[in-house]
Structures are given as C-alpha cells and as structure tokens.
Amino acid sequence: FDGDKMNYKRKQRGRFDKTLEGNQIIADNIAVVVTDVEIIDAIGRRKIDTIGSGRAHVFQDGIVIDATWKKNSESERLRFFDEYDEEIVFNGGATWIEVVPSKNSITIK
C-alpha cells in the first residue's frame, strides 16, 4: 500500500509489476473472495463457486475489512458486505478481485 497515493501497487517475486508502457500497475481497491475451487480436468481448468455467499477481505485506504461476498444469481453482480451487513462502497478507480480456495489459509500482513 502506498499511503501517499492511497493505492496498492502490484508486486511479484520482489519486483513491482509494470505495463508494457512502463507504468506501475495499481489498484484503488482489492477484494479477496474465499470460495470453493475445484480442478475439473488435466489442463487445470477450474470450477469456481461464485453463486451464494462466503468470506472475503476488502483492502481499501490501507485497511483490511473482514467481509462477506454475496451473489444470488448469475445475472446479479458480486457484492461485498461488512460485519454489520452494510454493503461496502468501493473507492473510484481500479478494483482487483482475487479468488482463493476456501481450503487455503490467508495471511494478512
């Protein structure tokens, strides 16, 4: 998290990622969906449960919100709710949604 610019910079293997043009890859919000993920073939394609609800973590403005994700049908959009069941309003700008299998543990630093 960059507190001066109030955004998140993507970093992998100790290096910040950049676009082909050399621009830093950033996000204003990050949502992590915890759900069931099943590998369905030898190629590694996955079946990801995105209908229903489950645990989530939303990163905004340098804080982590323990949340719940909800999506009642294929035609509805994915929504995130805080501990009081109030829908989380995302900051304007780029939002990354990451999916992690429910059997994995998540470490938040």
Side-chain angles (χ1 to χ4, degrees):
F1 178 72
D2 183 334
D4 293 331
K5 295 186 179 178
M6 299 300 285
N7 60 25
Y8 296 87
K9 295 181 178 181
R10 184 174 173 168
K11 187 176 184 180
Q12 294 185 79
R13 296 182 190 96
R15 292 187 167 174
F16 288 104
D17 287 335
K18 295 187 177 184
T19 64
L20 293 175
E21 295 80 21
N23 299 319
Q24 178 71 51
I25 297 176
I26 60 170
D28 301 287
N29 312 280
I30 300 172
V32 178
V33 172
V34 182
T35 190
D36 291 331
V37 177
E38 176 186 355
I39 297 174
I40 59 173
D41 62 21
I43 296 172
R45 287 182 277 215
R46 292 165 168 78
K47 176 183 180 281
I48 301 172
D49 289 338
T50 57
I51 307 299
S53 65
R55 293 184 307 124
H57 304 284
V58 174
F59 297 77
Q60 281 185 319
D61 303 324
I63 62 169
V64 180
I65 303 167
D66 288 326
T68 301
W69 65 267
K70 296 179 184 179
K71 185 174 178 185
N72 295 323
S73 71
E74 238 178 76
S75 62
E76 289 187 31
R77 72 177 174 87
L78 184 63
R79 297 172 186 262
F80 296 88
F81 297 86
D82 65 17
E83 64 183 308
Y84 305 105
D85 206 32
E86 295 289 328
E87 187 168 1
I88 296 169
V89 177
F90 286 92
N91 295 329
T95 298
W96 294 335
I97 299 177
E98 302 290 333
V99 177
V100 297
S102 56
K103 63 183 175 184
N104 290 2
S105 62
I106 298 172
T107 303
I108 299 173
K109 295 180 181 182

